[in-house]
Amino acid sequence: MRGTVSGRSREVTGSAAPGTPVCNNHPLVAKGVIRVSDDLDRLVDRVRQLDGENGQRLHRAVERYRRAPAVQVTGRAGVGKTTLARALARPDIVETAPLDTPGVPDPVLDGDVVVYVVAESLQPPDVAALQALRGTALVALNKADVLAVGGGGWGAVLARADEYAKDLAVQVVPVVAAIAATAARATMTPAETRSLRTLGDLNDPTLLLGADLFLGADVIIDARARRTMLDRWELYGLDCAMTALRHEPDLSPESVTGLLHAVSGIDGFRAALDRTLSQALAGRGAALLDELDRLAARSAAARNDIEAYLRSDEALFMGLTSGLAAPELAGIADRRSVLRPASAEQARDLADWWREVAQGPAAGPGARRAALRVQHAYTRAWARLARGRSRDLGLAPGPGHRG
């Protein structure tokens, strides 16, 4: 499935090209997931002066850490990639060429997160592609309205998503991208609202069983207006709007549009994407810290400077965020993950708990390393709080951050 041809992705919005340094006002910088500081730049300059070869290694590692986040939206032709990308409206979205196109190499899937779009059901090419993306993939079960309208309602959609998630070991989130994209750029018109209120009052259960039945029905609303509404809001959206207006006839067009935005599932998908991307980017911090550890062991000339940085609040916070997001600690970190301990006692308890995790017999090398980084961060927070100092480990940008 994986091709070797790059450069076939196209940007949906004004996203930075892959490899572009992340800008200082990126929201993930504000959250502390990616840190852009003069301290790290000074370390790179210092190591270059002391040890040119290892200084270049560090420079490349920092560039990888700081490159602009990339979210690729991919899938087979006709599954709704473009529509979902438009509905998400993110600056870091890049839509790829279709997968599994006869005679055409597949695009390279190397984004921080790959949003894999399927329509209604998984096909063998989808399974093959997703097996190669485990760990960075988020599956959009698009056109979920077809499943909902086909029988079982949204409960059937969620059951299908859970089934796929268990089979693939990848998070699967249902969404109706077409409704979300329309609601993002337009509001239901007053005429549409009146028409749907009229159709809802008919209380005809056959009207929404299929597009042909909806368009061919002998009703007062003319077929052209019904076609326009169907193209804009899909059968599922019309069903939801008519049901809402039947119960609350005075709903405004804006309120109905807000309802359709909600039932599209786009907010839940955005939240899942934010979590997945934050975890992926926190992994960059772990990779940078690993490289710093290796360089400290390799470079006698720069060892003291590198180790001094590794003891800094910035590096400890990087270790905290990357450790809590480490896949080796999945299911464990959720129980004890606090970015800002409320007191010295809480920080001490957290440090003790994470030390036990790191020393536990079940902890493998990756889990042990991640847990130790979390423990070291909480130990520093404990010391700071005990002295009455800030608990934030440098989370808020200070004088050392570029503005």
Side-chain angles (χ1 to χ4, degrees), residues 55-92:
Q56 280 301 107
R57 286 195 178 99
L58 178 57
H59 173 70
R60 290 192 294 270
V62 171
E63 280 193 330
R64 290 192 297 270
Y65 169 68
R66 286 178 171 171
R67 73 179 184 272
V71 176
Q72 291 177 299
V73 178
T74 194
R76 292 175 294 108
V79 296
K81 303 189 313 297
T82 301
T83 305
L84 179 60
R86 189 166 63 242
L88 290 170
R90 293 173 59 110
D92 49 8

PDB file of all heavy atoms in Angstrom, residues 55-92:
ATOM      1  N   GLY A  55      27.035  19.171  17.448  1.00  0.00           N
ATOM      2  CA  GLY A  55      26.217  20.372  17.367  1.00  0.00           C
ATOM      3  C   GLY A  55      25.267  20.329  16.189  1.00  0.00           C
ATOM      4  O   GLY A  55      24.114  20.751  16.283  1.00  0.00           O
ATOM      5  N   GLN A  56      25.748  19.785  15.052  1.00  0.00           N
ATOM      6  CA  GLN A  56      24.880  19.628  13.890  1.00  0.00           C
ATOM      7  C   GLN A  56      23.786  18.602  14.150  1.00  0.00           C
ATOM      8  O   GLN A  56      22.638  18.776  13.739  1.00  0.00           O
ATOM      9  CB  GLN A  56      25.706  19.205  12.671  1.00  0.00           C
ATOM     10  CG  GLN A  56      26.437  20.361  12.001  1.00  0.00           C
ATOM     11  CD  GLN A  56      25.473  21.437  11.531  1.00  0.00           C
ATOM     12  OE1 GLN A  56      25.390  22.526  12.114  1.00  0.00           O
ATOM     13  NE2 GLN A  56      24.716  21.124  10.487  1.00  0.00           N
ATOM     14  N   ARG A  57      24.138  17.529  14.860  1.00  0.00           N
ATOM     15  CA  ARG A  57      23.117  16.537  15.219  1.00  0.00           C
ATOM     16  C   ARG A  57      22.028  17.178  16.073  1.00  0.00           C
ATOM     17  O   ARG A  57      20.832  16.932  15.878  1.00  0.00           O
ATOM     18  CB  ARG A  57      23.767  15.375  15.968  1.00  0.00           C
ATOM     19  CG  ARG A  57      24.588  14.424  15.112  1.00  0.00           C
ATOM     20  CD  ARG A  57      24.868  13.144  15.880  1.00  0.00           C
ATOM     21  NE  ARG A  57      25.622  12.185  15.083  1.00  0.00           N
ATOM     22  CZ  ARG A  57      26.932  11.994  15.171  1.00  0.00           C
ATOM     23  NH1 ARG A  57      27.642  12.695  16.053  1.00  0.00           N
ATOM     24  NH2 ARG A  57      27.538  11.101  14.412  1.00  0.00           N
ATOM     25  N   LEU A  58      22.447  17.984  17.037  1.00  0.00           N
ATOM     26  CA  LEU A  58      21.467  18.639  17.899  1.00  0.00           C
ATOM     27  C   LEU A  58      20.620  19.625  17.102  1.00  0.00           C
ATOM     28  O   LEU A  58      19.398  19.705  17.293  1.00  0.00           O
ATOM     29  CB  LEU A  58      22.175  19.357  19.049  1.00  0.00           C
ATOM     30  CG  LEU A  58      21.269  20.133  20.005  1.00  0.00           C
ATOM     31  CD1 LEU A  58      20.204  19.222  20.603  1.00  0.00           C
ATOM     32  CD2 LEU A  58      22.087  20.793  21.113  1.00  0.00           C
ATOM     33  N   HIS A  59      21.254  20.359  16.203  1.00  0.00           N
ATOM     34  CA  HIS A  59      20.513  21.315  15.370  1.00  0.00           C
ATOM     35  C   HIS A  59      19.420  20.603  14.582  1.00  0.00           C
ATOM     36  O   HIS A  59      18.267  21.069  14.527  1.00  0.00           O
ATOM     37  CB  HIS A  59      21.476  22.032  14.422  1.00  0.00           C
ATOM     38  CG  HIS A  59      20.806  22.908  13.416  1.00  0.00           C
ATOM     39  ND1 HIS A  59      20.170  24.084  13.753  1.00  0.00           N
ATOM     40  CD2 HIS A  59      20.636  22.762  12.068  1.00  0.00           C
ATOM     41  CE1 HIS A  59      19.658  24.641  12.672  1.00  0.00           C
ATOM     42  NE2 HIS A  59      19.927  23.855  11.638  1.00  0.00           N
ATOM     43  N   ARG A  60      19.754  19.471  13.977  1.00  0.00           N
ATOM     44  CA  ARG A  60      18.754  18.714  13.200  1.00  0.00           C
ATOM     45  C   ARG A  60      17.646  18.183  14.103  1.00  0.00           C
ATOM     46  O   ARG A  60      16.469  18.174  13.720  1.00  0.00           O
ATOM     47  CB  ARG A  60      19.428  17.571  12.440  1.00  0.00           C
ATOM     48  CG  ARG A  60      20.317  18.034  11.292  1.00  0.00           C
ATOM     49  CD  ARG A  60      20.719  16.864  10.409  1.00  0.00           C
ATOM     50  NE  ARG A  60      21.584  15.920  11.100  1.00  0.00           N
ATOM     51  CZ  ARG A  60      22.909  15.980  11.124  1.00  0.00           C
ATOM     52  NH1 ARG A  60      23.537  16.968  10.493  1.00  0.00           N
ATOM     53  NH2 ARG A  60      23.606  15.064  11.755  1.00  0.00           N
ATOM     54  N   ALA A  61      18.009  17.734  15.305  1.00  0.00           N
ATOM     55  CA  ALA A  61      16.993  17.226  16.236  1.00  0.00           C
ATOM     56  C   ALA A  61      16.024  18.329  16.647  1.00  0.00           C
ATOM     57  O   ALA A  61      14.811  18.108  16.737  1.00  0.00           O
ATOM     58  CB  ALA A  61      17.668  16.626  17.463  1.00  0.00           C
ATOM     59  N   VAL A  62      16.542  19.521  16.896  1.00  0.00           N
ATOM     60  CA  VAL A  62      15.679  20.651  17.276  1.00  0.00           C
ATOM     61  C   VAL A  62      14.793  21.059  16.106  1.00  0.00           C
ATOM     62  O   VAL A  62      13.615  21.397  16.294  1.00  0.00           O
ATOM     63  CB  VAL A  62      16.534  21.839  17.778  1.00  0.00           C
ATOM     64  CG1 VAL A  62      15.679  23.082  17.974  1.00  0.00           C
ATOM     65  CG2 VAL A  62      17.227  21.470  19.085  1.00  0.00           C
ATOM     66  N   GLU A  63      15.326  21.022  14.891  1.00  0.00           N
ATOM     67  CA  GLU A  63      14.500  21.333  13.721  1.00  0.00           C
ATOM     68  C   GLU A  63      13.347  20.347  13.580  1.00  0.00           C
ATOM     69  O   GLU A  63      12.221  20.737  13.263  1.00  0.00           O
ATOM     70  CB  GLU A  63      15.365  21.313  12.453  1.00  0.00           C
ATOM     71  CG  GLU A  63      16.181  22.564  12.231  1.00  0.00           C
ATOM     72  CD  GLU A  63      16.762  22.621  10.837  1.00  0.00           C
ATOM     73  OE1 GLU A  63      17.031  21.532  10.262  1.00  0.00           O
ATOM     74  OE2 GLU A  63      16.942  23.726  10.311  1.00  0.00           O
ATOM     75  N   ARG A  64      13.632  19.064  13.801  1.00  0.00           N
ATOM     76  CA  ARG A  64      12.553  18.069  13.737  1.00  0.00           C
ATOM     77  C   ARG A  64      11.508  18.338  14.814  1.00  0.00           C
ATOM     78  O   ARG A  64      10.301  18.208  14.573  1.00  0.00           O
ATOM     79  CB  ARG A  64      13.118  16.659  13.897  1.00  0.00           C
ATOM     80  CG  ARG A  64      13.931  16.167  12.722  1.00  0.00           C
ATOM     81  CD  ARG A  64      14.209  14.675  12.821  1.00  0.00           C
ATOM     82  NE  ARG A  64      15.020  14.343  13.994  1.00  0.00           N
ATOM     83  CZ  ARG A  64      16.344  14.313  13.994  1.00  0.00           C
ATOM     84  NH1 ARG A  64      17.026  14.627  12.904  1.00  0.00           N
ATOM     85  NH2 ARG A  64      17.002  13.976  15.098  1.00  0.00           N
ATOM     86  N   TYR A  65      11.949  18.707  15.982  1.00  0.00           N
ATOM     87  CA  TYR A  65      11.042  18.965  17.094  1.00  0.00           C
ATOM     88  C   TYR A  65      10.139  20.161  16.809  1.00  0.00           C
ATOM     89  O   TYR A  65       8.959  20.168  17.165  1.00  0.00           O
ATOM     90  CB  TYR A  65      11.874  19.202  18.353  1.00  0.00           C
ATOM     91  CG  TYR A  65      11.115  19.734  19.535  1.00  0.00           C
ATOM     92  CD1 TYR A  65      10.171  18.962  20.191  1.00  0.00           C
ATOM     93  CD2 TYR A  65      11.352  21.026  20.019  1.00  0.00           C
ATOM     94  CE1 TYR A  65       9.474  19.446  21.290  1.00  0.00           C
ATOM     95  CE2 TYR A  65      10.667  21.519  21.110  1.00  0.00           C
ATOM     96  CZ  TYR A  65       9.734  20.729  21.746  1.00  0.00           C
ATOM     97  OH  TYR A  65       9.054  21.219  22.827  1.00  0.00           O
ATOM     98  N   ARG A  66      10.696  21.174  16.145  1.00  0.00           N
ATOM     99  CA  ARG A  66       9.975  22.430  15.952  1.00  0.00           C
ATOM    100  C   ARG A  66       9.228  22.527  14.626  1.00  0.00           C
ATOM    101  O   ARG A  66       8.550  23.535  14.391  1.00  0.00           O
ATOM    102  CB  ARG A  66      10.955  23.603  16.043  1.00  0.00           C
ATOM    103  CG  ARG A  66      11.416  23.907  17.450  1.00  0.00           C
ATOM    104  CD  ARG A  66      12.401  25.048  17.414  1.00  0.00           C
ATOM    105  NE  ARG A  66      12.719  25.524  18.751  1.00  0.00           N
ATOM    106  CZ  ARG A  66      13.680  26.404  19.014  1.00  0.00           C
ATOM    107  NH1 ARG A  66      14.416  26.881  18.027  1.00  0.00           N
ATOM    108  NH2 ARG A  66      13.922  26.786  20.249  1.00  0.00           N
ATOM    109  N   ARG A  67       9.349  21.543  13.767  1.00  0.00           N
ATOM    110  CA  ARG A  67       8.698  21.687  12.469  1.00  0.00           C
ATOM    111  C   ARG A  67       7.185  21.840  12.651  1.00  0.00           C
ATOM    112  O   ARG A  67       6.603  21.341  13.614  1.00  0.00           O
ATOM    113  CB  ARG A  67       9.021  20.505  11.557  1.00  0.00           C
ATOM    114  CG  ARG A  67       8.326  19.221  11.920  1.00  0.00           C
ATOM    115  CD  ARG A  67       8.676  18.098  10.950  1.00  0.00           C
ATOM    116  NE  ARG A  67       7.923  16.891  11.266  1.00  0.00           N
ATOM    117  CZ  ARG A  67       8.297  15.967  12.104  1.00  0.00           C
ATOM    118  NH1 ARG A  67       9.451  16.093  12.745  1.00  0.00           N
ATOM    119  NH2 ARG A  67       7.533  14.906  12.330  1.00  0.00           N
ATOM    120  N   ALA A  68       6.574  22.518  11.705  1.00  0.00           N
ATOM    121  CA  ALA A  68       5.141  22.794  11.808  1.00  0.00           C
ATOM    122  C   ALA A  68       4.338  21.497  11.871  1.00  0.00           C
ATOM    123  O   ALA A  68       4.629  20.549  11.136  1.00  0.00           O
ATOM    124  CB  ALA A  68       4.682  23.626  10.610  1.00  0.00           C
ATOM    125  N   PRO A  69       3.333  21.413  12.754  1.00  0.00           N
ATOM    126  CA  PRO A  69       2.493  20.216  12.807  1.00  0.00           C
ATOM    127  C   PRO A  69       1.809  19.962  11.477  1.00  0.00           C
ATOM    128  O   PRO A  69       1.430  20.897  10.769  1.00  0.00           O
ATOM    129  CB  PRO A  69       1.472  20.550  13.899  1.00  0.00           C
ATOM    130  CG  PRO A  69       2.109  21.624  14.716  1.00  0.00           C
ATOM    131  CD  PRO A  69       2.940  22.420  13.755  1.00  0.00           C
ATOM    132  N   ALA A  70       1.661  18.695  11.145  1.00  0.00           N
ATOM    133  CA  ALA A  70       1.010  18.326   9.881  1.00  0.00           C
ATOM    134  C   ALA A  70      -0.047  17.269  10.147  1.00  0.00           C
ATOM    135  O   ALA A  70       0.235  16.236  10.751  1.00  0.00           O
ATOM    136  CB  ALA A  70       2.046  17.800   8.880  1.00  0.00           C
ATOM    137  N   VAL A  71      -1.266  17.556   9.709  1.00  0.00           N
ATOM    138  CA  VAL A  71      -2.371  16.601   9.789  1.00  0.00           C
ATOM    139  C   VAL A  71      -2.773  16.263   8.367  1.00  0.00           C
ATOM    140  O   VAL A  71      -3.233  17.130   7.624  1.00  0.00           O
ATOM    141  CB  VAL A  71      -3.572  17.193  10.558  1.00  0.00           C
ATOM    142  CG1 VAL A  71      -4.737  16.210  10.541  1.00  0.00           C
ATOM    143  CG2 VAL A  71      -3.186  17.543  11.983  1.00  0.00           C
ATOM    144  N   GLN A  72      -2.561  15.027   7.975  1.00  0.00           N
ATOM    145  CA  GLN A  72      -2.954  14.590   6.638  1.00  0.00           C
ATOM    146  C   GLN A  72      -4.346  13.971   6.687  1.00  0.00           C
ATOM    147  O   GLN A  72      -4.664  13.211   7.605  1.00  0.00           O
ATOM    148  CB  GLN A  72      -1.961  13.561   6.096  1.00  0.00           C
ATOM    149  CG  GLN A  72      -0.585  14.117   5.773  1.00  0.00           C
ATOM    150  CD  GLN A  72       0.353  13.020   5.311  1.00  0.00           C
ATOM    151  OE1 GLN A  72       0.621  12.089   6.046  1.00  0.00           O
ATOM    152  NE2 GLN A  72       0.853  13.139   4.092  1.00  0.00           N
ATOM    153  N   VAL A  73      -5.150  14.314   5.698  1.00  0.00           N
ATOM    154  CA  VAL A  73      -6.473  13.707   5.537  1.00  0.00           C
ATOM    155  C   VAL A  73      -6.406  12.829   4.297  1.00  0.00           C
ATOM    156  O   VAL A  73      -6.115  13.314   3.198  1.00  0.00           O
ATOM    157  CB  VAL A  73      -7.571  14.773   5.398  1.00  0.00           C
ATOM    158  CG1 VAL A  73      -8.930  14.109   5.185  1.00  0.00           C
ATOM    159  CG2 VAL A  73      -7.614  15.665   6.637  1.00  0.00           C
ATOM    160  N   THR A  74      -6.658  11.554   4.463  1.00  0.00           N
ATOM    161  CA  THR A  74      -6.478  10.612   3.363  1.00  0.00           C
ATOM    162  C   THR A  74      -7.603   9.584   3.350  1.00  0.00           C
ATOM    163  O   THR A  74      -8.434   9.525   4.258  1.00  0.00           O
ATOM    164  CB  THR A  74      -5.100   9.913   3.484  1.00  0.00           C
ATOM    165  OG1 THR A  74      -4.802   9.249   2.252  1.00  0.00           O
ATOM    166  CG2 THR A  74      -5.081   8.896   4.619  1.00  0.00           C
ATOM    167  N   GLY A  75      -7.598   8.781   2.317  1.00  0.00           N
ATOM    168  CA  GLY A  75      -8.609   7.737   2.149  1.00  0.00           C
ATOM    169  C   GLY A  75      -8.806   7.456   0.674  1.00  0.00           C
ATOM    170  O   GLY A  75      -8.190   8.090  -0.195  1.00  0.00           O
ATOM    171  N   ARG A  76      -9.659   6.499   0.380  1.00  0.00           N
ATOM    172  CA  ARG A  76      -9.950   6.177  -1.008  1.00  0.00           C
ATOM    173  C   ARG A  76     -10.818   7.263  -1.640  1.00  0.00           C
ATOM    174  O   ARG A  76     -11.393   8.099  -0.959  1.00  0.00           O
ATOM    175  CB  ARG A  76     -10.648   4.816  -1.091  1.00  0.00           C
ATOM    176  CG  ARG A  76      -9.755   3.644  -0.710  1.00  0.00           C
ATOM    177  CD  ARG A  76     -10.496   2.313  -0.692  1.00  0.00           C
ATOM    178  NE  ARG A  76     -11.505   2.278   0.355  1.00  0.00           N
ATOM    179  CZ  ARG A  76     -12.803   2.319   0.144  1.00  0.00           C
ATOM    180  NH1 ARG A  76     -13.286   2.400  -1.072  1.00  0.00           N
ATOM    181  NH2 ARG A  76     -13.654   2.282   1.161  1.00  0.00           N
ATOM    182  N   ALA A  77     -10.894   7.254  -2.972  1.00  0.00           N
ATOM    183  CA  ALA A  77     -11.696   8.243  -3.689  1.00  0.00           C
ATOM    184  C   ALA A  77     -13.164   8.125  -3.289  1.00  0.00           C
ATOM    185  O   ALA A  77     -13.695   7.026  -3.108  1.00  0.00           O
ATOM    186  CB  ALA A  77     -11.540   8.047  -5.197  1.00  0.00           C
ATOM    187  N   GLY A  78     -13.825   9.275  -3.144  1.00  0.00           N
ATOM    188  CA  GLY A  78     -15.263   9.299  -2.911  1.00  0.00           C
ATOM    189  C   GLY A  78     -15.705   9.145  -1.472  1.00  0.00           C
ATOM    190  O   GLY A  78     -16.912   9.055  -1.208  1.00  0.00           O
ATOM    191  N   VAL A  79     -14.756   9.121  -0.522  1.00  0.00           N
ATOM    192  CA  VAL A  79     -15.151   8.913   0.869  1.00  0.00           C
ATOM    193  C   VAL A  79     -15.445  10.224   1.602  1.00  0.00           C
ATOM    194  O   VAL A  79     -15.944  10.202   2.727  1.00  0.00           O
ATOM    195  CB  VAL A  79     -14.069   8.128   1.642  1.00  0.00           C
ATOM    196  CG1 VAL A  79     -13.919   6.730   1.078  1.00  0.00           C
ATOM    197  CG2 VAL A  79     -12.737   8.879   1.639  1.00  0.00           C
ATOM    198  N   GLY A  80     -15.135  11.364   0.972  1.00  0.00           N
ATOM    199  CA  GLY A  80     -15.431  12.644   1.603  1.00  0.00           C
ATOM    200  C   GLY A  80     -14.237  13.317   2.241  1.00  0.00           C
ATOM    201  O   GLY A  80     -14.408  14.103   3.181  1.00  0.00           O
ATOM    202  N   LYS A  81     -13.023  13.062   1.751  1.00  0.00           N
ATOM    203  CA  LYS A  81     -11.824  13.687   2.316  1.00  0.00           C
ATOM    204  C   LYS A  81     -11.888  15.213   2.231  1.00  0.00           C
ATOM    205  O   LYS A  81     -11.642  15.910   3.208  1.00  0.00           O
ATOM    206  CB  LYS A  81     -10.559  13.206   1.585  1.00  0.00           C
ATOM    207  CG  LYS A  81     -10.323  11.722   1.579  1.00  0.00           C
ATOM    208  CD  LYS A  81      -8.955  11.362   1.030  1.00  0.00           C
ATOM    209  CE  LYS A  81      -8.597  12.063  -0.263  1.00  0.00           C
ATOM    210  NZ  LYS A  81      -9.503  11.703  -1.387  1.00  0.00           N
ATOM    211  N   THR A  82     -12.199  15.703   1.041  1.00  0.00           N
ATOM    212  CA  THR A  82     -12.221  17.155   0.832  1.00  0.00           C
ATOM    213  C   THR A  82     -13.276  17.806   1.705  1.00  0.00           C
ATOM    214  O   THR A  82     -13.052  18.872   2.300  1.00  0.00           O
ATOM    215  CB  THR A  82     -12.486  17.466  -0.653  1.00  0.00           C
ATOM    216  OG1 THR A  82     -11.455  16.872  -1.444  1.00  0.00           O
ATOM    217  CG2 THR A  82     -12.502  18.960  -0.894  1.00  0.00           C
ATOM    218  N   THR A  83     -14.432  17.183   1.799  1.00  0.00           N
ATOM    219  CA  THR A  83     -15.520  17.746   2.611  1.00  0.00           C
ATOM    220  C   THR A  83     -15.129  17.792   4.082  1.00  0.00           C
ATOM    221  O   THR A  83     -15.374  18.790   4.773  1.00  0.00           O
ATOM    222  CB  THR A  83     -16.796  16.911   2.430  1.00  0.00           C
ATOM    223  OG1 THR A  83     -17.107  16.821   1.040  1.00  0.00           O
ATOM    224  CG2 THR A  83     -17.966  17.557   3.157  1.00  0.00           C
ATOM    225  N   LEU A  84     -14.509  16.720   4.583  1.00  0.00           N
ATOM    226  CA  LEU A  84     -14.092  16.714   5.982  1.00  0.00           C
ATOM    227  C   LEU A  84     -13.009  17.756   6.218  1.00  0.00           C
ATOM    228  O   LEU A  84     -13.035  18.470   7.239  1.00  0.00           O
ATOM    229  CB  LEU A  84     -13.582  15.324   6.380  1.00  0.00           C
ATOM    230  CG  LEU A  84     -13.102  15.198   7.827  1.00  0.00           C
ATOM    231  CD1 LEU A  84     -14.224  15.527   8.812  1.00  0.00           C
ATOM    232  CD2 LEU A  84     -12.556  13.801   8.099  1.00  0.00           C
ATOM    233  N   ALA A  85     -12.046  17.861   5.316  1.00  0.00           N
ATOM    234  CA  ALA A  85     -10.995  18.863   5.468  1.00  0.00           C
ATOM    235  C   ALA A  85     -11.597  20.270   5.515  1.00  0.00           C
ATOM    236  O   ALA A  85     -11.181  21.121   6.302  1.00  0.00           O
ATOM    237  CB  ALA A  85      -9.989  18.750   4.331  1.00  0.00           C
ATOM    238  N   ARG A  86     -12.592  20.518   4.668  1.00  0.00           N
ATOM    239  CA  ARG A  86     -13.251  21.827   4.660  1.00  0.00           C
ATOM    240  C   ARG A  86     -14.011  22.062   5.954  1.00  0.00           C
ATOM    241  O   ARG A  86     -14.022  23.174   6.497  1.00  0.00           O
ATOM    242  CB  ARG A  86     -14.190  21.913   3.456  1.00  0.00           C
ATOM    243  CG  ARG A  86     -14.759  23.297   3.220  1.00  0.00           C
ATOM    244  CD  ARG A  86     -15.401  23.404   1.856  1.00  0.00           C
ATOM    245  NE  ARG A  86     -16.535  22.504   1.719  1.00  0.00           N
ATOM    246  CZ  ARG A  86     -16.613  21.519   0.843  1.00  0.00           C
ATOM    247  NH1 ARG A  86     -15.599  21.267   0.032  1.00  0.00           N
ATOM    248  NH2 ARG A  86     -17.697  20.762   0.770  1.00  0.00           N
ATOM    249  N   ALA A  87     -14.640  21.026   6.476  1.00  0.00           N
ATOM    250  CA  ALA A  87     -15.395  21.168   7.724  1.00  0.00           C
ATOM    251  C   ALA A  87     -14.460  21.424   8.907  1.00  0.00           C
ATOM    252  O   ALA A  87     -14.797  22.192   9.811  1.00  0.00           O
ATOM    253  CB  ALA A  87     -16.228  19.913   7.981  1.00  0.00           C
ATOM    254  N   LEU A  88     -13.299  20.796   8.912  1.00  0.00           N
ATOM    255  CA  LEU A  88     -12.357  20.985  10.018  1.00  0.00           C
ATOM    256  C   LEU A  88     -11.734  22.376   9.984  1.00  0.00           C
ATOM    257  O   LEU A  88     -11.482  22.968  11.036  1.00  0.00           O
ATOM    258  CB  LEU A  88     -11.266  19.918   9.966  1.00  0.00           C
ATOM    259  CG  LEU A  88     -11.722  18.507  10.315  1.00  0.00           C
ATOM    260  CD1 LEU A  88     -10.625  17.498   9.984  1.00  0.00           C
ATOM    261  CD2 LEU A  88     -12.100  18.404  11.787  1.00  0.00           C
ATOM    262  N   ALA A  89     -11.456  22.881   8.793  1.00  0.00           N
ATOM    263  CA  ALA A  89     -10.958  24.252   8.607  1.00  0.00           C
ATOM    264  C   ALA A  89      -9.776  24.559   9.523  1.00  0.00           C
ATOM    265  O   ALA A  89      -9.772  25.538  10.257  1.00  0.00           O
ATOM    266  CB  ALA A  89     -12.092  25.255   8.845  1.00  0.00           C
ATOM    267  N   ARG A  90      -8.742  23.716   9.473  1.00  0.00           N
ATOM    268  CA  ARG A  90      -7.546  23.895  10.294  1.00  0.00           C
ATOM    269  C   ARG A  90      -6.378  24.308   9.411  1.00  0.00           C
ATOM    270  O   ARG A  90      -6.236  23.846   8.280  1.00  0.00           O
ATOM    271  CB  ARG A  90      -7.186  22.590  11.005  1.00  0.00           C
ATOM    272  CG  ARG A  90      -8.184  22.141  12.042  1.00  0.00           C
ATOM    273  CD  ARG A  90      -7.808  20.764  12.532  1.00  0.00           C
ATOM    274  NE  ARG A  90      -6.480  20.719  13.127  1.00  0.00           N
ATOM    275  CZ  ARG A  90      -6.240  20.543  14.420  1.00  0.00           C
ATOM    276  NH1 ARG A  90      -7.250  20.378  15.248  1.00  0.00           N
ATOM    277  NH2 ARG A  90      -5.009  20.515  14.878  1.00  0.00           N
ATOM    278  N   PRO A  91      -5.471  25.161   9.936  1.00  0.00           N
ATOM    279  CA  PRO A  91      -4.318  25.579   9.124  1.00  0.00           C
ATOM    280  C   PRO A  91      -3.286  24.484   8.912  1.00  0.00           C
ATOM    281  O   PRO A  91      -2.432  24.610   8.045  1.00  0.00           O
ATOM    282  CB  PRO A  91      -3.729  26.739   9.943  1.00  0.00           C
ATOM    283  CG  PRO A  91      -4.145  26.469  11.349  1.00  0.00           C
ATOM    284  CD  PRO A  91      -5.515  25.836  11.246  1.00  0.00           C
ATOM    285  N   ASP A  92      -3.358  23.401   9.709  1.00  0.00           N
ATOM    286  CA  ASP A  92      -2.352  22.348   9.572  1.00  0.00           C
ATOM    287  C   ASP A  92      -2.862  21.149   8.768  1.00  0.00           C
ATOM    288  O   ASP A  92      -2.211  20.114   8.710  1.00  0.00           O
ATOM    289  CB  ASP A  92      -1.888  21.860  10.954  1.00  0.00           C
ATOM    290  CG  ASP A  92      -3.041  21.544  11.898  1.00  0.00           C
ATOM    291  OD1 ASP A  92      -4.201  21.548  11.447  1.00  0.00           O
ATOM    292  OD2 ASP A  92      -2.784  21.294  13.091  1.00  0.00           O
TER     293      ASP A  92
END
